[in-house]
Amino acid sequence: MSVRRRDLRRDAVRRPPARIGITLGSLCCLLLTLRAEAVEIDQGLSPVLHSSTLVSVESTYEFIAPGVSWGLSAGHRINFVSRLTAFFPAALFQDGHYFHARDYYDPIVGGEALLGAGVALALPDDQRAALGLGAHLNGQKLGSARYETFYSLTLGVGIDARYRYPLSRSLAMGAFIASAVHFMDFIHDADGLRYGVFICGGITLALRTGR
Amino acid sequence: MSRWTERLGFFESIRRFRCAALAALVLLGCNVGGYPDLGSELDNLAFTGSKNATAWMRTLADGSSELLVLGAAPEGRTAGFVLVTMRTDSTGTILAGEYTHRAATLVLSATSEYTKTAEFDRPPSGRTGSTRTDFETPEEMRFTLEETDGRLRLDGDDGTAVMIDLWEVVSAIDPSTQAGMEMIARVYNLSTVSLQMRIPGFGGAGLLQYLNEPGEFVGVLGGRATIEMSSPTEPRAEILFFDYKDFPGMVLDGDQISKTDMSGEGTLTGTVRFSMNDPREGGTFHVAGDLTYRLGLTNGRSSSGGYTVIMDDGADWEIAYDTAETLDFRSLLPPE
């Protein structure tokens, strides 16, 4: 007889060295940024499309979400890079089965943050491209009074690539794409996350100051 | 604004920051088990035949008890069943599903299993709490059944079980004595503990899912109960019973409120109105009253105090927590 059991009683597998490594890496990125010789600040607001894939021991979850993202880079050639994104999962999939989020959950909310360092490339006609790398934190909650609440709080490494085309001296249009790979979930240690992949992209309206 | 008011505001900000920091620590250190299935109902119990349902009980040599609740159904038709196995330390399992009774054969088809295990060796934030397993294919248990004189004899692959009508057991209690009232408190706790087993995350960090997001559960035979948490740093969990009924003739109505710190130290308060009426034809056993909790909690479990029970006839009783919560019925129903 085939019986599917979720054994949630396994001892927690804790991975403190990885957490410490990521924290130290972020601090190094911050220190590198402080050494930058000139500070140019670029901050942009973007409507985004966000995709989360969480692969657990038993299932694969995929969430597609619209959202909004604010990105900041400060520096010249070497940048301090950060990105904060809020998103609202609308289409949910578990092992390929589709769930319309609003039919099951309320509230539905997610957020993520990237903190790291990057390099900027100066292109012709005052165009800019930048690539950042850093620690990436993602949290999601699908709450409900009727269904089991789904929540996750994962940490990993993310990259952020952005492009700017100047509209004026201080205003620019652009786009970004950010991606991250996660290997730990702070909440679901026991039956854990194998890995998570997050991809987010959008069109950006950016303000550039300090040039 | 006076300088003192400003200072009080400053201290309030510090306190809020401390609470937020503690909440982050709680989240970083907790363990709520695996991810739930999407669209997985908090409470998937759908018991059919609850009207005129019967309940049967037996005790085992290790002190644990088994209770079998069978929904009423004509022969050959299906109805709901729950099989509750309760250990003396208030942990156990529930198998739930449907059964068919045809001729002398009883087939139980379990679709879900609820489990509450003892995790007292871990800190409260590291406990998984109660869990539910849904079977993709129902687990079948087949018995030869014989019912005579308030006794249910079940012959299965693992041996023979003789179960007694729950109300034959309960009606042997003398509620006018201290020992009898202690047993009434244990019978009362059959319903509270069976609810705890069915609340995913109960007793562990999984309770965080009810933070400002009440979860609702139906009673096996009627009524409902809700659970809600209102603070992650100073957990306050409130369970409300609304005519909650897991066993025939036993109804709970009221609230249980637990307030603890992060180490599980705190109190359990609240008052629950209970009634126990023998539903059998000609049954005369009837007790009802208000049970007030005044418990101290250590490591997330009762460690001091007890219950104050005021019966409808005016009698009031004090019952120590350990006598009420050690779910051992062997003195009432010896194991066979």
Side-chain angles (χ1 to χ4, degrees):
Chain A
M1 182 183 300
S2 159
V3 175
R4 183 181 174 203
R5 285 177 181 277
R6 291 213 315 248
D7 180 7
L8 307 181
R9 302 278 166 197
R10 266 177 271 163
D11 286 335
V13 180
R14 299 193 183 278
R15 287 158 283 189
R19 292 181 197 179
I20 292 166
I22 286 176
T23 311
L24 287 176
S26 305
L27 284 173
C28 289
C29 292
L30 200 57
L31 286 173
L32 275 173
T33 301
L34 292 175
R35 287 170 57 86
E37 66 267 32
V39 174
E40 180 182 318
I41 298 173
D42 175 300
Q43 43 186 326
L45 199 62
S46 314
V48 298
L49 194 61
H50 186 281
S51 156
S52 312
T53 303
L54 296 167
V55 179
S56 78
V57 174
E58 295 182 325
S59 282
T60 299
Y61 303 87
E62 293 168 275
F63 304 156
I64 307 295
V68 62
S69 182
W70 173 78
L72 169 81
S73 66
H76 187 62
R77 277 181 306 178
I78 297 176
N79 284 273
F80 164 69
V81 175
S82 73
R83 175 167 296 285
L84 296 175
T85 305
F87 55 91
F88 309 94
L92 316 173
F93 298 87
Q94 182 179 355
D95 300 325
H97 297 291
Y98 170 71
F99 297 83
H100 181 59
R102 281 284 167 210
D103 289 348
Y104 293 89
Y105 300 104
D106 184 22
I108 308 164
V109 68
E112 65 184 21
L114 170 80
L115 196 67
V119 288
L121 289 174
L123 301 173
D125 301 327
D126 204 22
Q127 295 174 82
R128 289 277 197 281
L131 187 67
L133 175 76
H136 188 267
L137 182 73
N138 178 289
Q140 307 193 51
K141 177 181 178 182
L142 313 176
S144 171
R146 186 173 169 198
Y147 300 99
E148 286 192 71
T149 298
F150 185 103
Y151 48 117
S152 64
L153 183 65
T154 60
L155 181 67
V157 178
I159 56 168
D160 185 283
R162 59 185 80 176
Y163 164 78
R164 297 285 184 268
Y165 182 84
L167 296 176
S168 69
R169 183 172 166 74
S170 56
L171 208 59
M173 276 295 285
F176 84 95
I177 184 159
S179 182
V181 182
H182 289 198
F183 293 102
M184 70 187 71
D185 187 324
F186 292 113
I187 304 174
H188 296 279
D189 260 352
D191 214 12
L193 175 76
R194 277 190 178 152
Y195 62 90
V197 177
F198 303 91
I199 301 172
C200 176
I203 305 293
T204 306
L205 184 64
L207 189 66
R208 299 197 288 186
T209 53
R211 306 169 67 213
Chain B
M1 189 187 293
S2 77
R3 186 182 295 172
W4 282 109
T5 315
E6 282 176 18
R7 284 186 181 179
L8 284 174
F10 171 74
F11 287 126
E12 178 62 17
S13 304
I14 293 288
R15 194 186 73 79
R16 283 184 185 165
F17 174 76
R18 191 179 63 100
C19 286
L22 274 171
L25 284 174
V26 169
L27 285 173
L28 293 179
C30 71
N31 162 26
V32 298
Y35 296 103
D37 291 332
L38 293 178
S40 166
E41 287 186 271
L42 265 179
D43 185 11
N44 65 347
L45 191 74
F47 192 94
T48 52
S50 54
K51 196 177 177 188
N52 298 324
T54 54
W56 308 84
M57 183 179 193
R58 72 165 179 156
T59 59
L60 304 175
D62 65 357
S64 54
S65 307
E66 281 184 353
L67 292 112
L68 177 65
V69 181
L70 298 172
E75 190 174 323
R77 297 280 182 85
T78 59
F81 87 91
V82 293
L83 176 62
V84 184
T85 304
M86 213 165 282
R87 290 185 282 274
T88 55
D89 62 355
S90 299
T91 62
T93 58
I94 298 176
L95 281 171
E98 289 192 318
Y99 80 92
T100 317
H101 176 207
R102 188 171 281 121
T105 303
L106 178 75
V107 181
L108 304 180
S109 298
T111 51
S112 295
E113 182 181 41
Y114 306 82
T115 309
K116 183 178 174 226
T117 54
E119 300 177 279
F120 298 113
D121 55 336
R122 297 185 196 173
S125 63
R127 296 174 192 161
T128 304
S130 300
T131 55
R132 187 183 84 217
T133 304
D134 295 330
F135 304 133
E136 277 181 358
T137 309
E139 269 198 349
E140 280 199 355
M141 291 163 283
R142 199 171 284 268
F143 301 96
T144 304
L145 178 141
E146 186 185 334
E147 184 184 348
T148 48
D149 296 334
R151 274 161 176 70
L152 205 62
R153 183 186 168 91
L154 300 163
D155 288 308
D157 293 340
D158 296 332
T160 300
V162 178
M163 306 188 90
I164 313 293
D165 189 305
L166 175 65
W167 279 97
E168 195 173 318
V169 180
V170 174
S171 56
I173 299 171
D174 179 1
S176 65
T177 64
Q178 179 69 29
M181 280 310 295
E182 287 170 359
M183 202 53 83
I184 289 288
R186 290 182 190 183
V187 173
Y188 162 89
N189 274 324
L190 291 176
S191 299
T192 61
V193 174
S194 76
L195 171 65
Q196 291 168 9
M197 288 184 205
R198 289 202 297 117
I199 298 176
F202 188 91
L207 276 180
L208 279 173
Q209 69 181 298
Y210 309 109
L211 184 62
N212 301 321
E213 199 84 58
E216 188 168 312
F217 300 83
V218 295
V220 172
L221 301 180
R224 64 192 175 92
T226 60
I227 180 166
E228 183 172 14
M229 267 189 74
S230 52
S231 166
T233 53
E234 293 167 349
R236 179 186 188 277
E238 182 170 17
I239 295 179
L240 294 171
F241 296 96
F242 301 93
D243 292 325
Y244 184 82
K245 188 171 164 187
D246 268 358
F247 301 102
M250 299 183 189
V251 181
L252 309 186
D253 210 357
D255 62 348
Q256 276 184 336
I257 302 158
S258 67
K259 290 181 191 169
T260 58
D261 61 17
M262 296 315 304
S263 64
E265 302 268 340
T267 59
L268 178 68
T269 56
T271 299
V272 177
R273 172 151 187 84
F274 68 94
S275 62
M276 299 177 187
N277 296 306
D278 187 346
R280 296 176 300 173
E281 201 174 311
T284 55
F285 188 92
H286 167 81
V287 293
D290 294 321
L291 185 148
T292 300
Y293 293 96
R294 38 171 199 78
L295 293 171
L297 305 176
T298 303
N299 195 27
R301 65 195 303 192
S302 303
S303 60
S304 62
Y307 306 166
T308 300
V309 182
I310 300 174
M311 305 300 289
D312 282 0
D313 63 8
D316 64 288
W317 305 87
E318 295 294 331
I319 299 164
Y321 77 93
D322 48 354
T323 53
E325 294 179 5
T326 304
L327 298 181
D328 187 345
F329 295 92
R330 282 175 294 181
S331 61
L332 206 58
L333 176 63
E336 295 211 359

PDB file of all heavy atoms in Angstrom, chain B residues 1 45 48 61 63 75 85 102 143 187 208 217 239 244 252 259 294 299 318 325 328:
ATOM      1  N   MET B   1       4.297  68.625  25.350  1.00  0.00           N
ATOM      2  CA  MET B   1       4.563  67.329  25.977  1.00  0.00           C
ATOM      3  C   MET B   1       5.640  67.497  27.058  1.00  0.00           C
ATOM      4  O   MET B   1       6.669  68.133  26.830  1.00  0.00           O
ATOM      5  CB  MET B   1       5.045  66.346  24.909  1.00  0.00           C
ATOM      6  CG  MET B   1       5.134  64.937  25.410  1.00  0.00           C
ATOM      7  SD  MET B   1       5.897  63.854  24.172  1.00  0.00           S
ATOM      8  CE  MET B   1       4.666  63.862  22.883  1.00  0.00           C
ATOM      9  N   LEU B  45     -11.395  17.420   8.859  1.00  0.00           N
ATOM     10  CA  LEU B  45     -12.275  16.397   9.431  1.00  0.00           C
ATOM     11  C   LEU B  45     -13.702  16.572   8.904  1.00  0.00           C
ATOM     12  O   LEU B  45     -14.278  17.647   9.014  1.00  0.00           O
ATOM     13  CB  LEU B  45     -12.263  16.498  10.961  1.00  0.00           C
ATOM     14  CG  LEU B  45     -12.923  15.348  11.675  1.00  0.00           C
ATOM     15  CD1 LEU B  45     -12.032  14.118  11.621  1.00  0.00           C
ATOM     16  CD2 LEU B  45     -13.183  15.709  13.130  1.00  0.00           C
ATOM     17  N   THR B  48     -19.216  11.917   9.274  1.00  0.00           N
ATOM     18  CA  THR B  48     -20.621  11.718   8.922  1.00  0.00           C
ATOM     19  C   THR B  48     -21.282  10.779   9.938  1.00  0.00           C
ATOM     20  O   THR B  48     -20.621   9.926  10.526  1.00  0.00           O
ATOM     21  CB  THR B  48     -20.759  11.111   7.510  1.00  0.00           C
ATOM     22  OG1 THR B  48     -19.922   9.949   7.437  1.00  0.00           O
ATOM     23  CG2 THR B  48     -20.338  12.082   6.448  1.00  0.00           C
ATOM     24  N   ALA B  61      -2.260  -1.828  29.108  1.00  0.00           N
ATOM     25  CA  ALA B  61      -1.447  -2.075  30.298  1.00  0.00           C
ATOM     26  C   ALA B  61      -0.523  -0.913  30.631  1.00  0.00           C
ATOM     27  O   ALA B  61      -0.226  -0.639  31.796  1.00  0.00           O
ATOM     28  CB  ALA B  61      -0.625  -3.344  30.086  1.00  0.00           C
ATOM     29  N   GLY B  63      -1.186   2.124  30.519  1.00  0.00           N
ATOM     30  CA  GLY B  63      -1.957   3.263  31.020  1.00  0.00           C
ATOM     31  C   GLY B  63      -2.624   4.066  29.923  1.00  0.00           C
ATOM     32  O   GLY B  63      -3.473   4.912  30.203  1.00  0.00           O
ATOM     33  N   GLU B  75     -26.552  -0.647   8.248  1.00  0.00           N
ATOM     34  CA  GLU B  75     -25.580  -1.663   7.855  1.00  0.00           C
ATOM     35  C   GLU B  75     -25.293  -1.592   6.354  1.00  0.00           C
ATOM     36  O   GLU B  75     -26.205  -1.441   5.537  1.00  0.00           O
ATOM     37  CB  GLU B  75     -26.096  -3.062   8.219  1.00  0.00           C
ATOM     38  CG  GLU B  75     -25.015  -4.109   8.052  1.00  0.00           C
ATOM     39  CD  GLU B  75     -25.464  -5.468   8.545  1.00  0.00           C
ATOM     40  OE1 GLU B  75     -26.181  -5.534   9.550  1.00  0.00           O
ATOM     41  OE2 GLU B  75     -25.073  -6.474   7.916  1.00  0.00           O
ATOM     42  N   THR B  85      -5.984   7.412  20.359  1.00  0.00           N
ATOM     43  CA  THR B  85      -5.103   6.729  21.305  1.00  0.00           C
ATOM     44  C   THR B  85      -4.458   7.803  22.161  1.00  0.00           C
ATOM     45  O   THR B  85      -3.767   8.680  21.637  1.00  0.00           O
ATOM     46  CB  THR B  85      -4.012   5.918  20.571  1.00  0.00           C
ATOM     47  OG1 THR B  85      -4.657   5.014  19.672  1.00  0.00           O
ATOM     48  CG2 THR B  85      -3.168   5.126  21.552  1.00  0.00           C
ATOM     49  N   ARG B 102     -20.524  -4.401   7.584  1.00  0.00           N
ATOM     50  CA  ARG B 102     -21.375  -5.297   6.800  1.00  0.00           C
ATOM     51  C   ARG B 102     -21.284  -6.678   7.436  1.00  0.00           C
ATOM     52  O   ARG B 102     -20.186  -7.187   7.633  1.00  0.00           O
ATOM     53  CB  ARG B 102     -20.899  -5.335   5.341  1.00  0.00           C
ATOM     54  CG  ARG B 102     -21.840  -6.089   4.420  1.00  0.00           C
ATOM     55  CD  ARG B 102     -21.466  -5.934   2.959  1.00  0.00           C
ATOM     56  NE  ARG B 102     -21.901  -4.653   2.409  1.00  0.00           N
ATOM     57  CZ  ARG B 102     -21.089  -3.751   1.877  1.00  0.00           C
ATOM     58  NH1 ARG B 102     -19.820  -3.989   1.824  1.00  0.00           N
ATOM     59  NH2 ARG B 102     -21.557  -2.616   1.400  1.00  0.00           N
ATOM     60  N   PHE B 143     -11.702  -5.813  10.780  1.00  0.00           N
ATOM     61  CA  PHE B 143     -11.979  -6.532  12.023  1.00  0.00           C
ATOM     62  C   PHE B 143     -13.233  -7.385  11.868  1.00  0.00           C
ATOM     63  O   PHE B 143     -14.126  -7.037  11.097  1.00  0.00           O
ATOM     64  CB  PHE B 143     -12.227  -5.559  13.187  1.00  0.00           C
ATOM     65  CG  PHE B 143     -11.090  -4.629  13.459  1.00  0.00           C
ATOM     66  CD1 PHE B 143     -11.080  -3.351  12.917  1.00  0.00           C
ATOM     67  CD2 PHE B 143     -10.025  -5.024  14.254  1.00  0.00           C
ATOM     68  CE1 PHE B 143     -10.034  -2.478  13.174  1.00  0.00           C
ATOM     69  CE2 PHE B 143      -8.973  -4.155  14.507  1.00  0.00           C
ATOM     70  CZ  PHE B 143      -8.978  -2.882  13.959  1.00  0.00           C
ATOM     71  N   VAL B 187     -11.912  12.939  32.279  1.00  0.00           N
ATOM     72  CA  VAL B 187     -12.837  12.724  31.161  1.00  0.00           C
ATOM     73  C   VAL B 187     -13.003  14.024  30.371  1.00  0.00           C
ATOM     74  O   VAL B 187     -12.994  14.032  29.135  1.00  0.00           O
ATOM     75  CB  VAL B 187     -14.203  12.220  31.674  1.00  0.00           C
ATOM     76  CG1 VAL B 187     -15.226  12.159  30.539  1.00  0.00           C
ATOM     77  CG2 VAL B 187     -14.060  10.840  32.316  1.00  0.00           C
ATOM     78  N   LEU B 208       2.862  29.756  15.617  1.00  0.00           N
ATOM     79  CA  LEU B 208       3.053  31.084  15.019  1.00  0.00           C
ATOM     80  C   LEU B 208       2.120  31.309  13.835  1.00  0.00           C
ATOM     81  O   LEU B 208       1.822  32.440  13.479  1.00  0.00           O
ATOM     82  CB  LEU B 208       4.505  31.232  14.537  1.00  0.00           C
ATOM     83  CG  LEU B 208       5.542  31.584  15.607  1.00  0.00           C
ATOM     84  CD1 LEU B 208       6.928  31.529  15.012  1.00  0.00           C
ATOM     85  CD2 LEU B 208       5.273  32.962  16.178  1.00  0.00           C
ATOM     86  N   PHE B 217     -11.576  25.029  13.943  1.00  0.00           N
ATOM     87  CA  PHE B 217     -11.666  23.569  13.894  1.00  0.00           C
ATOM     88  C   PHE B 217     -13.058  23.132  14.318  1.00  0.00           C
ATOM     89  O   PHE B 217     -13.593  23.661  15.295  1.00  0.00           O
ATOM     90  CB  PHE B 217     -10.617  22.945  14.825  1.00  0.00           C
ATOM     91  CG  PHE B 217      -9.216  23.325  14.449  1.00  0.00           C
ATOM     92  CD1 PHE B 217      -8.677  24.526  14.878  1.00  0.00           C
ATOM     93  CD2 PHE B 217      -8.472  22.519  13.616  1.00  0.00           C
ATOM     94  CE1 PHE B 217      -7.400  24.916  14.494  1.00  0.00           C
ATOM     95  CE2 PHE B 217      -7.200  22.891  13.226  1.00  0.00           C
ATOM     96  CZ  PHE B 217      -6.665  24.090  13.670  1.00  0.00           C
ATOM     97  N   ILE B 239      -7.777  29.681  23.138  1.00  0.00           N
ATOM     98  CA  ILE B 239      -8.650  28.694  22.486  1.00  0.00           C
ATOM     99  C   ILE B 239     -10.069  28.961  22.945  1.00  0.00           C
ATOM    100  O   ILE B 239     -10.330  29.057  24.148  1.00  0.00           O
ATOM    101  CB  ILE B 239      -8.246  27.256  22.859  1.00  0.00           C
ATOM    102  CG1 ILE B 239      -6.856  26.934  22.315  1.00  0.00           C
ATOM    103  CG2 ILE B 239      -9.253  26.255  22.311  1.00  0.00           C
ATOM    104  CD1 ILE B 239      -6.364  25.538  22.666  1.00  0.00           C
ATOM    105  N   TYR B 244     -18.464  22.790  21.629  1.00  0.00           N
ATOM    106  CA  TYR B 244     -17.510  21.853  21.028  1.00  0.00           C
ATOM    107  C   TYR B 244     -17.774  20.434  21.533  1.00  0.00           C
ATOM    108  O   TYR B 244     -17.881  20.202  22.730  1.00  0.00           O
ATOM    109  CB  TYR B 244     -16.095  22.288  21.386  1.00  0.00           C
ATOM    110  CG  TYR B 244     -15.037  21.448  20.733  1.00  0.00           C
ATOM    111  CD1 TYR B 244     -14.654  21.686  19.430  1.00  0.00           C
ATOM    112  CD2 TYR B 244     -14.427  20.401  21.425  1.00  0.00           C
ATOM    113  CE1 TYR B 244     -13.689  20.902  18.818  1.00  0.00           C
ATOM    114  CE2 TYR B 244     -13.467  19.616  20.823  1.00  0.00           C
ATOM    115  CZ  TYR B 244     -13.105  19.879  19.515  1.00  0.00           C
ATOM    116  OH  TYR B 244     -12.158  19.109  18.915  1.00  0.00           O
ATOM    117  N   LEU B 252     -18.275  21.298  25.390  1.00  0.00           N
ATOM    118  CA  LEU B 252     -17.466  22.351  26.020  1.00  0.00           C
ATOM    119  C   LEU B 252     -17.816  23.699  25.402  1.00  0.00           C
ATOM    120  O   LEU B 252     -18.034  23.799  24.203  1.00  0.00           O
ATOM    121  CB  LEU B 252     -15.968  22.107  25.817  1.00  0.00           C
ATOM    122  CG  LEU B 252     -15.378  20.744  26.165  1.00  0.00           C
ATOM    123  CD1 LEU B 252     -13.863  20.794  26.031  1.00  0.00           C
ATOM    124  CD2 LEU B 252     -15.768  20.309  27.556  1.00  0.00           C
ATOM    125  N   LYS B 259      -0.549  32.251  28.671  1.00  0.00           N
ATOM    126  CA  LYS B 259       0.413  33.342  28.472  1.00  0.00           C
ATOM    127  C   LYS B 259       1.758  32.828  28.960  1.00  0.00           C
ATOM    128  O   LYS B 259       1.882  32.428  30.119  1.00  0.00           O
ATOM    129  CB  LYS B 259       0.028  34.561  29.307  1.00  0.00           C
ATOM    130  CG  LYS B 259      -1.207  35.285  28.847  1.00  0.00           C
ATOM    131  CD  LYS B 259      -1.447  36.478  29.757  1.00  0.00           C
ATOM    132  CE  LYS B 259      -2.813  37.076  29.514  1.00  0.00           C
ATOM    133  NZ  LYS B 259      -3.189  38.046  30.537  1.00  0.00           N
ATOM    134  N   ARG B 294      -6.419  27.632  36.762  1.00  0.00           N
ATOM    135  CA  ARG B 294      -5.468  28.508  37.474  1.00  0.00           C
ATOM    136  C   ARG B 294      -4.153  27.736  37.560  1.00  0.00           C
ATOM    137  O   ARG B 294      -3.723  27.296  38.610  1.00  0.00           O
ATOM    138  CB  ARG B 294      -6.004  28.925  38.849  1.00  0.00           C
ATOM    139  CG  ARG B 294      -6.760  27.836  39.575  1.00  0.00           C
ATOM    140  CD  ARG B 294      -7.096  28.163  40.984  1.00  0.00           C
ATOM    141  NE  ARG B 294      -7.397  26.930  41.695  1.00  0.00           N
ATOM    142  CZ  ARG B 294      -6.500  26.072  42.153  1.00  0.00           C
ATOM    143  NH1 ARG B 294      -5.214  26.336  42.027  1.00  0.00           N
ATOM    144  NH2 ARG B 294      -6.842  24.950  42.757  1.00  0.00           N
ATOM    145  N   ASN B 299       8.175  25.208  31.030  1.00  0.00           N
ATOM    146  CA  ASN B 299       8.587  24.499  29.819  1.00  0.00           C
ATOM    147  C   ASN B 299       7.380  24.143  28.949  1.00  0.00           C
ATOM    148  O   ASN B 299       7.356  23.118  28.273  1.00  0.00           O
ATOM    149  CB  ASN B 299       9.380  23.237  30.195  1.00  0.00           C
ATOM    150  CG  ASN B 299      10.126  22.673  29.003  1.00  0.00           C
ATOM    151  OD1 ASN B 299      10.472  23.406  28.069  1.00  0.00           O
ATOM    152  ND2 ASN B 299      10.371  21.374  29.015  1.00  0.00           N
ATOM    153  N   GLU B 318     -11.654  21.623  44.192  1.00  0.00           N
ATOM    154  CA  GLU B 318     -10.316  22.007  43.756  1.00  0.00           C
ATOM    155  C   GLU B 318      -9.610  20.729  43.293  1.00  0.00           C
ATOM    156  O   GLU B 318      -9.562  19.749  44.041  1.00  0.00           O
ATOM    157  CB  GLU B 318      -9.518  22.635  44.908  1.00  0.00           C
ATOM    158  CG  GLU B 318     -10.082  23.961  45.405  1.00  0.00           C
ATOM    159  CD  GLU B 318      -9.987  25.073  44.370  1.00  0.00           C
ATOM    160  OE1 GLU B 318      -9.052  25.031  43.540  1.00  0.00           O
ATOM    161  OE2 GLU B 318     -10.847  25.972  44.375  1.00  0.00           O
ATOM    162  N   GLU B 325      -4.575  15.889  34.789  1.00  0.00           N
ATOM    163  CA  GLU B 325      -3.969  15.818  33.457  1.00  0.00           C
ATOM    164  C   GLU B 325      -3.197  14.520  33.205  1.00  0.00           C
ATOM    165  O   GLU B 325      -2.617  14.354  32.133  1.00  0.00           O
ATOM    166  CB  GLU B 325      -3.088  17.048  33.238  1.00  0.00           C
ATOM    167  CG  GLU B 325      -3.946  18.317  33.204  1.00  0.00           C
ATOM    168  CD  GLU B 325      -3.164  19.595  33.019  1.00  0.00           C
ATOM    169  OE1 GLU B 325      -1.943  19.528  32.810  1.00  0.00           O
ATOM    170  OE2 GLU B 325      -3.798  20.655  33.102  1.00  0.00           O
ATOM    171  N   ASP B 328      -5.037   8.666  32.934  1.00  0.00           N
ATOM    172  CA  ASP B 328      -4.974   7.241  33.242  1.00  0.00           C
ATOM    173  C   ASP B 328      -6.348   6.813  33.777  1.00  0.00           C
ATOM    174  O   ASP B 328      -6.803   7.304  34.811  1.00  0.00           O
ATOM    175  CB  ASP B 328      -3.877   7.003  34.296  1.00  0.00           C
ATOM    176  CG  ASP B 328      -3.637   5.515  34.538  1.00  0.00           C
ATOM    177  OD1 ASP B 328      -4.484   4.695  34.116  1.00  0.00           O
ATOM    178  OD2 ASP B 328      -2.618   5.178  35.160  1.00  0.00           O
TER     179      ASP B 328
END
